[in-house]
Amino acid sequence: MADDISSGLDRRTILGGAAALLGAAAAPELPARAPKKEGGAPPFLWGTAGAAYQIEGGNVASDLWLLEHRAPQLFKDPSGDACDTYHRIEEDLDLVKMLGFNAHRLSLEWSRIEPEPGQFSTASLDYYRRVLLMCRDRGLVPLVTFSHWSLPRWFAERGAFRSREGVAPFADFCRRVAEHMADLIGLAATLNEANFRDQLDWSPSYARLKPLLERAQANVAAAANAKSFASPIYADPATQPFMIEAHTRAYAAIKEVRPDLPIGVTLALTDDQPAGDDSGIARKFAETCEPWLRVDADWIGVQTYTRALVGPTANLPPEAGAELTQAGYEFWPEALENVIRKVAPIAKKPIYVTENGIGTADDTRRVGYIRRAVTGVERCIAEGIDVRGYLHWSLLDNWEWNYGYSRQFGLVSVDRKTFKRSPKPSAFYLGKIARNGGLAKRR
Ligand code: BGC
């Protein structure tokens, strides 16, 4: 482990991080829109990522806020003020720029923008427009996810994506957002990990948790006096056909507003490896991934953290003795390279790594993980695979869904009382890679 770190890490980057930060070249000047391929190769995007609900704080009109405050309790901690990013976004974007990145992935909180059906908040739309202007002013290409899991409460009460009824509201929301700010978006993603629900069916822990999740949803529905309460990341029945339709309609709606905007979809992808001769790996790919690689999209967002050993009908636990991360995943940085190699020839579209990272309290393991993951990405590029960006999950230690604040995926820690941000050595390490245009130090 120690070797892993010392071989890849420039000691000065860690110890002299702040100095490097201030003295280094400014982030490259990039237009807010993602550059087109004509007129030269587009610059590779090196960036950080975050999602509104996990960092903004106080998203009281969201489905998750309601779930957080009803028994049985699914969450280790309530999200509360989260990282207070809603009020501190400027500081965060300054940090992203100073660290040396040229891109940032953010998401919009649908429940702020449309707190009641059809009632759009101009103030909230303006807020996100200002955020995009802040990105532009800092030379950061904004990759905007229109919906990263949290939903307006009213949409959950109407069944979310359990039926075709969910399609039009999502497409309308996307159109409205596009009309307000598409001119400032670099890349758009409709849904975060659109296939997440499909993947859950292969997760053994989901099978165990399902009764609890169902009970929580039923309680919330009763408390909200609603017929049902749906949440695409929890106990919903399979939603794939309706989510594909929602994505497709949203894609068309955004394109109508801004035809040249590259729109993609991001997918949860593990590096699947057969656990034996009877592995269901092919069926898993057919169920959880292939349909999403066929949807209307200009690019695919790969979100990979680890490998999965696939048994006949479900993933198996990591092998005994495997190094585990906080999330219980195996430490397996090569997963990213393997997933890109598998998906790219089938997707036949540009790939952006929209999430990759590790939950750990030991930042030296994050540095080691980044070095090996980025090395794999560079190998793919060297072989001609069209990978156009690496956006690390995440900028901040944030609210990790059911696990509350107990997992640290951030390049930057956040004091839970003062909200003070403190970049970790890994932030300077990846920032330096970004500045140099890769590990190979091409400058
Ligand atoms: C999600 C993020 C989450 C990350 C780490 C991804 O599946 O998109 O929201 O924080 O995993 O758990």
Side-chain angles (χ1 to χ4, degrees):
M1 277 186 210
D3 285 356
D4 192 9
I5 300 309
S6 51
S7 58
L9 186 60
D10 173 348
R11 228 174 108 71
R12 271 190 331 165
T13 311
I14 291 183
L15 300 176
L21 193 79
L22 297 172
E29 283 299 314
L30 287 177
R33 291 181 179 198
K36 294 204 185 101
K37 238 204 163 0
E38 310 86 59
F44 190 85
L45 299 186
W46 291 102
T48 48
Y53 197 85
Q54 293 177 267
I55 53 176
E56 282 183 354
N59 276 315
V60 298
S62 155
D63 61 339
L64 295 176
W65 190 275
L66 197 58
L67 274 176
E68 280 176 37
H69 296 93
R70 295 289 183 281
Q73 193 40 252
L74 304 176
F75 305 93
K76 193 163 183 304
D77 310 295
S79 56
D81 288 330
C83 304
D84 193 28
T85 294
Y86 196 74
H87 302 106
R88 292 165 202 260
I89 182 67
E90 198 153 9
E91 182 186 340
D92 288 350
L93 294 174
D94 279 345
L95 206 50
V96 176
K97 177 187 158 79
M98 282 200 298
L99 285 166
F101 298 103
N102 62 14
H104 182 63
R105 175 175 177 230
L106 57 106
S107 80
L108 309 171
E109 184 58 36
W110 181 3
S111 65
R112 278 189 197 274
I113 293 177
E114 192 181 0
E116 295 294 336
Q119 185 186 312
F120 287 88
S121 158
T122 307
S124 294
L125 286 163
D126 283 350
Y127 170 82
Y128 289 110
R129 188 170 170 83
R130 280 199 301 279
V131 172
L132 297 179
L133 285 167
M134 289 174 205
C135 290
R136 191 185 66 182
D137 292 349
R138 287 160 182 75
L140 300 171
V141 174
L143 192 158
V144 176
T145 311
F146 279 53
S147 177
H148 192 125
W149 288 354
S150 57
L151 298 170
R153 196 182 278 197
W154 60 264
F155 186 69
E157 286 170 6
R158 289 178 171 194
F161 295 113
R162 280 182 185 176
S163 76
R164 184 153 287 124
E165 276 177 55
V167 172
F170 181 63
D172 290 348
F173 158 72
C174 291
R175 177 190 303 279
R176 193 62 182 255
V177 166
E179 284 166 355
H180 210 87
M181 62 192 88
D183 56 319
L184 294 172
I185 298 177
L187 291 146
T190 53
L191 296 160
N192 178 62
E193 296 192 347
N195 65 337
F196 183 81
R197 176 62 193 80
D198 311 331
Q199 295 277 16
L200 284 180
D201 285 334
W202 287 81
S203 155
S205 55
Y206 181 60
R208 276 198 310 277
L209 279 174
K210 208 164 174 231
L212 174 70
L213 299 173
E214 282 169 350
R215 230 171 55 237
Q217 288 203 355
N219 287 357
V220 174
N225 207 12
K227 271 209 292 294
S228 70
F229 191 85
S231 167
I233 53 170
Y234 295 113
D236 266 8
T239 46
Q240 193 186 78
F242 307 117
M243 288 189 80
I244 288 185
E245 205 175 325
H247 161 84
T248 308
R249 288 270 300 277
Y251 176 93
I254 303 168
K255 280 279 176 190
E256 265 177 41
V257 179
R258 205 188 123 193
D260 69 331
L261 177 61
I263 306 170
V265 63
T266 75
L267 301 178
L269 299 165
T270 41
D271 171 13
D272 288 341
Q273 302 180 2
D277 290 344
D278 56 351
S279 169
I281 195 166
R283 187 161 67 84
K284 181 180 174 193
F285 190 72
E287 287 174 10
T288 64
C289 187
E290 256 169 352
W292 286 104
L293 297 180
R294 286 196 299 266
V295 300
D296 292 341
D298 305 317
W299 55 272
I300 296 294
V302 164
Q303 309 201 160
T304 297
Y305 290 85
T306 190
R307 70 168 171 170
L309 302 173
V310 184
T313 57
N315 301 335
L316 303 185
E319 283 163 354
E323 179 186 347
L324 301 184
T325 66
Q326 282 175 333
Y329 313 140
E330 190 172 358
F331 180 93
W332 197 263
E334 283 69 32
L336 182 58
E337 173 178 7
N338 294 341
V339 166
I340 293 171
R341 285 183 193 285
K342 182 164 179 180
V343 162
I346 303 170
K348 298 190 177 65
K349 286 175 184 148
I351 302 286
Y352 287 86
V353 177
T354 42
E355 281 186 31
N356 175 247
I358 168 176
T360 180
D362 177 356
D363 196 54
T364 63
R365 294 313 283 148
R366 190 174 344 271
V367 170
Y369 184 94
I370 290 172
R371 183 175 62 76
R372 284 165 54 180
V374 169
T375 302
V377 170
E378 293 194 339
R379 270 195 294 262
C380 292
I381 296 171
E383 286 171 29
I385 301 177
D386 190 2
V387 188
R388 300 195 184 179
Y390 176 89
L391 292 101
H392 190 80
W393 186 271
S394 59
L395 174 65
L396 303 176
D397 281 343
N398 60 20
W399 185 77
E400 274 293 327
W401 313 107
N402 301 67
Y403 302 96
Y405 295 100
S406 66
R407 292 175 171 183
Q408 291 85 46
F409 278 87
L411 297 167
V412 174
S413 68
V414 178
D415 185 291
R416 297 270 0 109
K417 286 211 174 71
T418 63
F419 303 110
K420 185 175 181 305
R421 276 72 167 139
S422 306
K424 303 174 191 176
S426 56
F428 298 114
Y429 178 69
L430 185 57
K432 185 172 180 189
I433 294 176
R435 251 183 254 280
N436 289 346
L439 269 168
K441 301 202 174 171
R442 285 195 280 265
R443 278 197 316 152

